Each structure stands twice: as structure tokens, then as C-alpha cells.
Amino acid sequence: MYTSKFFDYFWIFIFGSVFGVLSESIWRLVTRGVFVTRVGVLYGPFNPVYGLALVLMTFFLLRFSNKSLVFLIILATLIGGSLEYFSSYLQEFLLGTISWDYSKFAFNIHGRANIPYAFLWGLMGAVWIKIFYPAVLDFIKKIPRSPGMLITYLLLIFMMTDMAVSV
């Protein structure tokens, strides 16, 4: 399939939205012994915050992918921590709801983010850009054009509707 930046980033958003939900569910199961899903919309296994995080990580880290791993981790830590902080703020300001509160965690930043989790974002961002991004992009490029575009548009309409209804 011919890909454009829009299609690439859209599928990265979908991948991140689903992978983030799966990752957090597994993390909770392993660390707390409880299975929890942290979907961010009413329909489907999606969390748009994770999707947006992966898009931002890709956009900002890709141009530095040849830099050292330490540099990528630091930059991704700043991106992930900032996104978590501002997403929390915007959700509370616009919707009057709170999805997470780190107030009881050490090194929290106004309860909206915390440094250890920001560092985890950094590790994941560096691993994403060094290892997984090339493989995911290869997969996206192998999608046949006609069905790929149809599926993309249908999923785009579904996601926009799902997010609007969820708000």
C-alpha cells in the first residue's frame, strides 16, 4: 500500500491505543495480581492517550533515532511525562473527570505524573523507536492499497465517533 504520513501516523495511533491497553493490563496483572483494562473509550480496546503518546514519540524521536540510547530515553521521558501531565490536566479541565492520581506516589508532579513512570515512558519510547517502529512501519507498508485505504477510513470514522460518544 502506498503510505502517507497521515496513514502511517494513523496506524501508529491505533497500534499505540491497543498496545497501551494490553501493556497496562499485563503490568497490573503482574504487579498487583489483578486484571484491569484501562480503555479510554466506550467501544473497543483503545486508549487514545497511548495512541497519541506513540504518535508523539514517533514524531519527535524519529529525527534523533541515530543518537545515543541515553539521549533517546531522556527525550522520551520528557515527552511521556509531559503528555501524561497535560492529558490529566486537560481531562480534568474540559471533562471534570480524573482517570489517574499519583498524589500518593513518591516523586509525583501535582499528582498528574510522576518521575518513575515518566522514566518508564522514556524506556518504552526508546525501545519503540529503535526496535518496534521499523517493524510496524514495514507491516503498514505491506497492507494492500484498496482494502487498506477502506479499512483506514472506516476505522478513522469509528474512532472519531467512539471518541465523540465517549466524551
Side-chain angles (χ1 to χ4, degrees), residues 60-72:
F60 287 109
L61 296 180
L62 196 54
R63 65 192 79 196
F64 299 110
S65 60
N66 61 342
K67 298 283 186 184
S68 74
L69 194 57
V70 172
F71 178 84
L72 289 173

Side-chain angles (χ1 to χ4, degrees), residues 24 38-41 47-50 52 82-102 111-113 163 166-167:
E24 188 166 352
R38 297 287 182 166
V39 295
V41 290
N47 188 318
V49 173
Y50 290 124
L52 180 59
S82 297
L83 175 65
E84 192 165 41
Y85 185 93
F86 289 112
S87 294
S88 170
Y89 177 80
L90 283 174
Q91 179 185 354
E92 187 174 359
F93 179 76
L94 295 174
L95 305 174
T97 60
I98 298 172
S99 291
W100 61 87
D101 181 1
Y102 297 127
R112 299 184 185 283
M163 287 190 277
S166 299
V167 167

Side-chain angles (χ1 to χ4, degrees), residues 14 16 26 42-43 53 63 79 96 112 137-138 152 154 157 165:
I14 294 298
I26 292 167
L42 293 175
Y43 306 105
R63 65 192 79 196
I79 294 166
R112 299 184 185 283
L137 189 62
D138 262 359
T152 299
L154 290 174
I157 291 166
V165 169

